[in-house]
Amino acid sequence: MLPDERGHFGIYGGRFVPETLMTALLELEEAYIKAKADSKFHEELDYYLQEYAGRPNPLYYAEKLTEYLGGAKIYLKREDLNHTGSHKINNTLGQALLARRMGKDRIIAETGAGQHGVAVATVAAIFGFDCEVYMGDEDIERQAINVFRMKLLGTKVVPVSSGTKTLKDAINESFRDWVTNVHNTYLMVGSVVCAHPYPVMVRDFQSVIGKEVKTQIMEKEGRLPDYLLACVGGGSNSMGLFYPFYEDKEVKLVGVEAGGLGLKTLKHGASLTAGTRGVLHGSMCHILQDDDGQIMPTHSVSAGLDYPGVGPEHSFFKESNRAEYVSITDEEALEAFKLLSEQEGIIPALESAHAVAHAMKMAPKLDPSEIIVICLSGRGDKDVQTVIKLLSEEI
Amino acid sequence: MNKIDRKFAELKSQGKKAFMPFITAGDPSLKHTPALIEKLESSGADLLELGIPFSDPVADGPSIQRSSLRSLDSGTTLGKILDTMSQIRAKADIPIAFMSYYNVILRYGIEKFVKDAVEAGVDGTIIPDLPPDEAADLISVARDNDFATIFLLTPTSTDQRMEVVSKASTGFIYCVSLTGVTGARKQVSEMLAPTLDKIRKHSDKPVAVGFGVSTPEQAEAVAKMAEGVIVGSAIVNVIEANADNPEKMLDEVGRFTKKLSDAVKKA
């Protein structure tokens, strides 16, 4: 079973962190292993997932979109219907219960699109933690609604003006805070990235997505789907969908990265499709770097995919050919954003629109007997401002 | 015997402590680096920690972050730093340990890095985001080439970590004086003394203390407790303040280094 006891998925993963954090990571790992083996922890988590977050959410047959594209049957896993509007709450509820067990009273986190930040601020409010969320200046500007939501929930949003002023730099700052305040502070990582045990822990908490899909599709279709599609920034909604199907080799897994302005322009966030092996934020994974090992600036219309690294387990899935990774440009994602809104009355997050965009390419080439499940990881309200700006001529 | 080991042995026999400044290679640009190192040595530095800039230095506070950025902006790369080592070695003889984040070395190639560094006259390396647990490849090549692998211990390190890290360290053990990132602090951390006591139980290797040491008074206090004192951000701040006046930069860096070095020698 992967990862190994030091968090390696093949050659990927591991723990590449300053020594100050090694003890904290070992403590966290121990606490997590204990909680995982405790049925009370699972009862508690299930309670909050059901009563507070609103799980299970539907696996919705997108009949009109299916007809419009004229090929494979398309289902949408409605993570956008969760409380706070994305899949991020699955993970933050789990980690908040863990932080409470560990006796921590302060939570810090990083956020890109603000979806994780809002989910962290939400659990901080309900469980009574002090909370600070690091967010890049550029993201604060393009995700203003989420910034206000976090503030309303009682969280302090700390602007990050170093480096590229996006998610990567927000993670750097959250590490620096954790190194400084490690005695009372819990670092709530929002994706399947960073040092062990975060990638495996976040995957486990997000696996509720794939487990529900498995049950729901058996009820509706009596068989497993042919394709699973999800967007990949750090890769938590995709890993949550993919992982429960890992052993079901007939199910093809497709991760969709941010192609930005196109892979040739170097303005993208496609670390798996266009990156190389490296170490970023505590783990070995595919990263976007120059010839000298410096991390390259990234670009995506969606703040949540604007990241130069990726979860190490995705790197492992890629190299072992268990999953395929593709990229979708900003323009294609915007098309999908509009199409899903028009056809199904569902406004997707720009991140999730990347997965929808790839389905638009794939579905028409497939037989109507084939089934695609798309993880609709979040709702698009937060992106309306961005899209208004980008489509200004058409509105 | 590695040059770093020799230096600590020599100082010990004289009853003295080591002063080790840190600067980033290429800050403000690589053409200034050889003269700066010559100045550091002539002003009393016993060893040098030479930073290789990285775009995402998570263990560093604002001073060294800005220093890395200045260096990167002036086009510095690991390859160019290695090329400049011949000019540095023509001017300065002090033991030099590179400080680099792991990705830069991984990208260059671990074996090639160690061999090229040794050939260029570098004596060891400090990699703050590479704990010994992940460093088997580096350690094996380094041992074959008599290249020191300096790992870090911190106030949060448990006995188990102390054992792992002190065993893997050669040259010296880098003791982080506080929980936090690099940068000047008002006073020496209260966590330092108990951390040093704990390290001594696991190892008799020389220990140099860094992070949060910035004034001659602090350097003297730390030198009373450890074999070496590392000052980084405070020196880098002097470089930053005088970046547009190279002559003044050398003078000011020399003057400040002298004060720190005298303070260490007093202890």
Side-chain angles (χ1 to χ4, degrees):
Chain A
M1 250 340 256
L2 291 173
D4 71 11
E5 58 180 16
R6 286 188 295 137
H8 297 102
F9 303 87
I11 59 166
Y12 298 103
R15 259 193 285 247
F16 297 85
V17 292
E19 183 62 30
T20 308
L21 298 182
M22 280 301 284
T23 303
L25 288 169
L26 293 167
E27 266 169 24
L28 175 63
E29 186 188 7
E30 198 187 314
Y32 177 57
I33 290 171
K34 241 190 229 167
K36 207 178 162 180
D38 182 352
S39 58
K40 273 196 195 128
F41 180 77
H42 293 281
E43 274 167 33
E44 243 182 333
L45 179 55
D46 289 347
Y47 170 81
Y48 282 103
L49 285 175
Q50 186 180 317
E51 301 296 322
Y52 188 68
R55 301 203 75 93
N57 55 43
L59 180 68
Y60 165 71
Y61 172 40
E63 194 173 357
K64 231 180 131 209
L65 181 68
T66 299
E67 273 171 30
Y68 177 86
L69 294 175
K73 209 167 172 181
I74 297 173
Y75 281 91
L76 303 175
K77 180 58 176 165
R78 297 294 307 274
E79 292 299 312
D80 60 316
L81 293 179
N82 294 339
H83 177 45
T84 75
S86 82
H87 70 292
K88 294 293 188 187
I89 192 83
N90 305 331
N91 169 47
T92 58
L93 280 171
Q95 288 200 55
L97 292 173
L98 187 63
R100 193 167 70 172
R101 284 182 161 229
M102 293 175 74
K104 304 285 184 180
D105 50 32
R106 176 172 181 261
I107 286 178
I108 55 167
E110 79 298 339
T111 196
Q115 295 298 80
H116 175 56
V118 168
V120 171
T122 300
V123 297
I126 186 173
F127 295 114
F129 294 106
D130 286 335
C131 184
E132 289 183 38
V133 171
Y134 289 91
M135 190 169 185
D137 278 345
E138 188 183 325
D139 292 336
I140 285 179
E141 193 179 321
R142 60 180 163 173
Q143 303 287 343
I145 294 170
N146 276 345
V147 175
F148 184 68
R149 289 168 78 194
M150 284 186 270
K151 287 181 181 165
L152 207 56
L153 292 161
T155 280
K156 186 179 165 202
V157 179
V158 187
V160 176
S161 59
S162 57
T164 55
K165 306 176 175 64
T166 59
L167 178 57
K168 159 180 95 76
D169 308 282
I171 296 180
N172 290 345
E173 282 309 321
S174 69
F175 268 45
R176 290 178 184 126
D177 182 319
W178 202 31
V179 169
T180 308
N181 302 298
V182 63
H183 58 284
N184 74 333
T185 297
Y186 183 94
L187 173 66
M188 197 171 277
V189 172
S191 192
V192 289
V193 299
C194 292
H196 183 61
Y198 285 106
V200 62
M201 186 168 74
V202 177
R203 173 196 80 191
D204 290 351
F205 289 138
Q206 291 295 359
S207 287
V208 65
I209 302 173
K211 285 180 196 157
E212 281 179 13
V213 166
K214 220 169 189 178
T215 311
Q216 290 167 322
I217 199 78
M218 288 309 287
E219 280 167 13
K220 289 172 200 287
E221 297 281 349
R223 71 174 184 90
L224 297 181
D226 299 287
Y227 293 91
L228 299 178
L229 243 66
C231 63
V232 181
S236 70
N237 88 84
S238 47
M239 192 48 73
L241 175 65
F242 293 173
Y243 186 69
F245 292 87
Y246 180 71
E247 300 290 346
D248 304 304
K249 304 291 182 198
E250 71 273 26
V251 180
K252 296 176 198 72
L253 313 176
V254 186
V256 186
E257 295 193 292
L261 304 181
L263 297 192
K264 280 178 191 155
T265 64
L266 297 180
K267 290 188 171 168
H268 60 78
S271 17
L272 286 161
T273 357
T276 46
R277 186 169 69 101
V279 166
L280 179 66
H281 296 143
S283 88
M284 188 169 286
C285 58
H286 285 77
I287 62 173
L288 296 169
Q289 59 182 328
D290 68 14
D291 292 341
D292 300 303
Q294 308 297 340
I295 307 305
M296 303 219 298
T298 52
H299 164 83
S300 171
V301 68
S302 69
L305 304 184
D306 202 346
Y307 181 61
V310 72
E313 196 165 10
H314 281 292
S315 288
F316 174 72
F317 275 22
K318 180 186 162 78
E319 295 237 327
S320 58
N321 290 314
R322 179 61 191 96
E324 181 197 355
Y325 295 90
V326 297
S327 70
I328 282 295
T329 63
D330 287 355
E331 210 177 308
E332 291 168 330
L334 280 168
E335 278 306 309
F337 182 90
K338 284 193 285 180
L339 184 74
L340 196 68
S341 305
E342 288 161 11
Q343 290 295 321
E344 293 288 352
I346 298 171
I347 303 175
L350 279 171
E351 290 78 15
S352 324
H354 283 70
V356 176
H358 191 64
M360 286 164 65
K361 288 184 181 176
M362 266 178 74
K365 294 183 205 154
L366 297 174
D367 193 84
S369 66
E370 294 187 275
I371 299 167
I372 298 176
V373 172
I374 303 173
C375 186
L376 204 72
S377 55
R379 64 171 185 237
D381 310 44
K382 69 179 176 68
D383 293 313
V384 168
Q385 293 282 359
T386 304
V387 177
I388 287 173
K389 248 189 221 168
L390 288 167
L391 302 181
S392 53
E393 290 174 6
E394 294 171 45
I395 284 178
Chain B
M1 201 187 195
N2 184 291
K3 221 163 151 181
I4 298 173
D5 297 326
R6 267 206 313 269
K7 176 59 83 174
F8 275 106
E10 178 195 317
L11 288 167
K12 192 180 176 185
S13 71
Q14 299 166 351
K16 285 184 184 158
K17 302 300 177 71
F19 174 60
M20 193 182 326
F22 165 94
I23 60 168
T24 305
D27 174 19
S29 88
L30 260 181
K31 66 172 191 256
H32 297 107
T33 302
L36 269 168
I37 295 176
E38 182 183 27
K39 181 58 96 177
L40 291 168
E41 183 174 35
S42 67
S43 309
D46 300 297
L47 302 95
L48 172 70
E49 185 187 348
L50 187 60
I52 315 289
F54 180 53
S55 52
D56 294 80
V58 290
D60 286 303
S63 295
I64 295 179
Q65 285 177 45
R66 287 198 303 273
S67 168
S68 304
L69 202 64
R70 284 192 298 275
S71 172
L72 287 173
D73 285 348
S74 71
T76 308
T77 65
L78 174 52
K80 288 183 190 168
I81 294 168
L82 286 165
D83 290 344
T84 309
M85 278 304 298
S86 59
Q87 293 172 51
I88 294 170
R89 278 304 178 213
K91 289 172 188 278
D93 190 44
I94 50 172
I96 295 178
F98 272 168
M99 192 291 292
S100 172
Y101 287 85
Y102 189 45
N103 195 56
V104 175
I105 291 168
L106 191 67
R107 183 70 174 176
Y108 191 85
I110 295 168
E111 191 173 350
K112 187 169 152 51
F113 166 72
V114 171
K115 289 187 169 161
D116 290 357
V118 168
E119 199 180 306
V122 181
D123 306 290
T125 189
I126 301 161
I127 308 174
D129 61 343
L130 183 72
D133 321 57
E134 298 283 358
D137 293 351
L138 174 81
I139 290 171
S140 137
V141 186
R143 293 295 175 272
D144 290 346
N145 291 276
D146 197 21
F147 188 63
T149 54
I150 297 136
F151 291 100
L152 295 86
L153 280 169
T154 74
T156 62
S157 301
T158 56
D159 281 314
Q160 196 206 349
R161 297 300 307 160
M162 294 260 168
E163 200 58 37
V164 171
V165 171
S166 56
K167 266 207 184 110
S169 296
T170 55
F172 63 92
I173 294 168
Y174 192 131
C175 174
V176 176
S177 78
L178 43 77
T179 55
V181 293
T182 58
R185 306 289 199 282
K186 284 202 181 78
Q187 51 201 13
V188 174
S189 163
E190 284 171 11
M191 300 176 210
L192 177 59
T195 306
L196 285 169
D197 287 345
K198 220 160 122 191
I199 296 175
R200 305 294 185 198
K201 282 187 204 143
H202 293 270
S203 175
D204 53 9
K205 289 174 186 169
V207 178
V209 175
F211 285 50
V213 187
S214 57
T215 65
E217 294 72 30
Q218 291 170 346
E220 186 182 345
V222 171
K224 285 186 174 136
M225 295 187 267
E227 284 76 33
V229 181
I230 304 169
V231 176
S233 297
I235 293 176
V236 160
N237 288 343
V238 176
I239 293 176
E240 179 175 46
N242 299 287
D244 50 4
N245 187 344
E247 246 169 75
K248 189 163 171 242
M249 178 172 70
L250 281 178
D251 284 349
E252 295 291 330
V253 167
R255 194 169 314 156
F256 186 49
T257 303
K258 181 86 173 53
K259 277 190 206 160
L260 290 163
S261 150
D262 287 349
V264 168
K265 293 293 175 284
K266 243 197 299 184

